[in-house]
């Protein structure tokens, strides 16, 4: 999702899961005046039941790189995530790209991926009497929800790219260089 600072963000979430409820949390948003849109079950809303829907509506109050994710059980680990980019428009009408001189804006959302559902992993690795607390090794690393392999970005000689990184990982740590 890409919006400008001070825009209203309106997102309708339809829960098409067969069994579980869900909610979507907008990570980093202050939700001033719209606390009901924060997406935290049992605090700012009830979960969205299977077949149900909720419309989240809030103001993009401050520019930056943010993300949204499922905020019920381990749904974000299983892939309920996305980026939220809020661009600044300066008083003179210039954009950040105009002001800082970059020609492309690239968001890289990095997450660890496990072939087993996250709830099963939590149960097997952390909630058993014999657990050693060892974290499971991911089966893959995803970038923008795609299998990354070796990540390479194409750049042009006379262009400047802005890179935005979102760490949507659950258990793994990543080094970026």
């Amino acid at each position: 999702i890409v919006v400008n600072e001070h825009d209203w963000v309106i997102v309708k979430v339809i829960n098409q899961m067969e069994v579980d409820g869900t909610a979507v949390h907008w990570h980093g948003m202050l939700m001033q005046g719209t606390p009901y849109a924060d997406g935290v079950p049992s605090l700012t809303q009830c979960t969205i039941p299977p077949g149900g829907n909720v419309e989240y509506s809030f103001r993009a109050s401050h520019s930056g790189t943010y993300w949204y994710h499922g905020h019920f059980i381990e749904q974000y680990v299983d892939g309920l995530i996305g980026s939220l980019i809020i661009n600044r428009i300066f008083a003179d009408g210039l954009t950040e790209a105009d002001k800082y001189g970059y020609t492309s804006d690239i968001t890289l959302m990095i997450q660890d991926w496990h072939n087993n559902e996250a709830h099963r992993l939590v149960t097997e690795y952390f909630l058993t009497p014999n657990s050693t607390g060892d974290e499971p090794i991911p089966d893959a690393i995803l970038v923008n929800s795609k299998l990354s392999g070796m990540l390479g970005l194409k750049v042009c000689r006379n262009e400047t790219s802005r890179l935005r990184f979102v760490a949507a990982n659950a258990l793994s740590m990543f080094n970026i260089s």
Side-chain angles (χ1 to χ4, degrees), residues 148-161:
S148 62
M150 181 60 122
L151 177 66
L153 299 173
K154 291 184 179 181
V155 294
C156 295
R157 181 177 300 276
N158 295 321
E159 293 185 3
T160 302
S161 297

Side-chain angles (χ1 to χ4, degrees), residues 8-77:
W8 277 92
V9 178
I10 302 171
V11 176
K12 184 174 186 178
V13 175
I14 302 168
N15 184 356
Q16 295 182 342
M17 290 184 272
E18 294 177 8
V19 178
D20 293 325
T22 193
V24 175
H25 176 63
W26 307 90
H27 207 83
M29 294 290 94
L30 296 177
M31 298 298 174
Q32 293 174 325
T34 56
Y36 50 84
D38 196 38
V40 180
S42 302
L43 185 62
T44 62
Q45 72 172 88
C46 296
T47 58
I48 306 166
N53 66 78
V54 164
E55 186 173 277
Y56 293 93
S57 178
F58 58 92
R59 188 168 304 272
S61 58
H62 48 288
S63 64
T65 306
Y66 304 96
W67 66 301
Y68 59 90
H69 57 86
H71 210 283
F72 186 66
I73 52 178
E74 299 88 5
Q75 292 171 349
Y76 96 86
V77 181

